[in-house]
Amino acid sequence: MTSSRERFPHTLSESGPAAAPDGGDSAQNGQSGREERDPRYDRAFAALSFVMNRHFIDHLLRSMRELDMDAESLILLGLVSHLGLARLMTPGAAGGDAAPSRREPQPVRLRDLTVVARLPRETIRRKLVRLRDAGYLEQRGRGWVLNPARIDERIRAFNYQTLRRLLTTARELEAILSRTERRHPASADGPPPGEAVSSAPPCPARTGRRPNPAPNGRPPPGGSSR
């Protein structure tokens, strides 16, 4: 019998802090910093971060307003929907290449949601009941599934607008990266423009260290012997 973590798709269980090799937080142990980054990212960090944050906040607020629920309920609704469908996919496949191996979504158990969402068990149970009462979820045995009857034209229109906004944001991010590349073309012959390497020794005033004395105690030309 496999554990709940082994049954989760990698996009949820293995990308978060719980997946750190030493059992700690990946953001704290530096795991995320070891990944080799596109140099354009560091150059355009502020602009990229602004656009991404704007998209995430906009999507969260739109979802809370349109679906009339709090952020934690949104997360749980998304997890039940995603995990229930992810378990239909052919093992090893991902994205558009994945073909459902079964028709019915698989119920997601409270224990699994507790592991992934990292929320108190009672909080999750209470919010799942509220989502059920609102018609978004159905309880099947010891698990929860998305209620297909709740996916009406209003939800489809909301998802369509979400898709358009996501694609617009992706194009904007690509444009920022392209502009950054044109302004700072990569060079294999040396450092990027504006980052010339100096062969001069470090200035004592900047390093806080005095220059090495001349050989045999002799002062340098034009210098003092003190």
Side-chain angles (χ1 to χ4, degrees):
M1 180 177 180
T2 59
S3 66
S4 58
R5 177 173 294 183
E6 291 172 342
R7 294 198 303 270
F8 294 153
H10 294 294
T11 53
L12 290 174
S13 66
E14 301 304 324
S15 61
D22 57 359
D25 193 323
S26 61
Q28 296 177 357
N29 62 27
Q31 181 181 3
S32 59
R34 290 196 291 266
E35 180 181 359
E36 184 176 355
R37 295 196 297 258
D38 187 324
R40 298 175 300 174
Y41 168 79
D42 290 315
R43 294 184 184 279
F45 174 80
L48 293 171
S49 298
F50 175 82
V51 172
M52 289 189 294
N53 186 66
R54 182 187 63 193
H55 173 78
F56 295 144
I57 296 300
D58 174 72
H59 177 63
L60 177 61
L61 294 177
R62 284 179 60 244
S63 300
M64 294 173 62
R65 182 172 57 250
E66 291 294 328
L67 302 181
D68 191 24
M69 65 180 69
D70 60 87
E72 290 181 345
S73 297
L74 280 172
I75 292 173
L76 294 174
L77 178 62
L79 284 174
V80 170
S81 176
H82 182 82
L83 293 176
L85 293 175
R87 294 170 180 176
L88 302 179
M89 304 303 176
T90 302
D97 297 330
S101 57
R102 292 182 294 271
R103 293 183 179 180
E104 291 294 326
Q106 298 300 294
V108 182
R109 301 175 68 173
L110 177 61
R111 179 183 60 187
D112 297 342
L113 292 171
T114 303
V115 172
V116 179
R118 290 192 167 192
L119 294 172
R121 181 184 181 89
E122 179 57 27
T123 298
I124 295 177
R125 188 201 65 78
R126 185 176 65 252
K127 292 181 180 294
L128 290 175
V129 170
R130 291 180 180 176
L131 288 170
R132 180 198 62 191
D133 295 343
Y136 288 104
L137 298 180
E138 293 180 352
Q139 191 169 7
R140 296 184 183 176
R142 301 176 63 182
W144 298 82
V145 296
L146 186 68
N147 179 13
R150 198 64 172 78
I151 310 300
D152 54 14
E153 180 56 33
R154 175 169 164 266
I155 297 297
R156 290 179 178 272
F158 173 77
N159 278 356
Y160 180 68
Q161 290 299 321
T162 299
L163 173 62
R164 293 186 60 181
R165 290 168 182 254
L166 176 61
L167 294 175
T168 298
T169 300
R171 287 191 290 267
E172 188 173 355
L173 293 171
E174 287 286 356
I176 293 174
L177 292 172
S178 296
R179 289 196 301 269
T180 302
E181 187 171 18
R182 289 195 299 269
R183 292 172 183 171
H184 304 282
S187 174
D189 299 327
E195 298 182 11
V197 176
S198 173
S199 59
C203 175
R206 295 181 179 177
T207 62
R209 293 179 294 182
R210 301 184 60 176
N212 294 330
N216 301 325
R218 297 177 182 177
S224 173
S225 59
R226 62 173 185 173

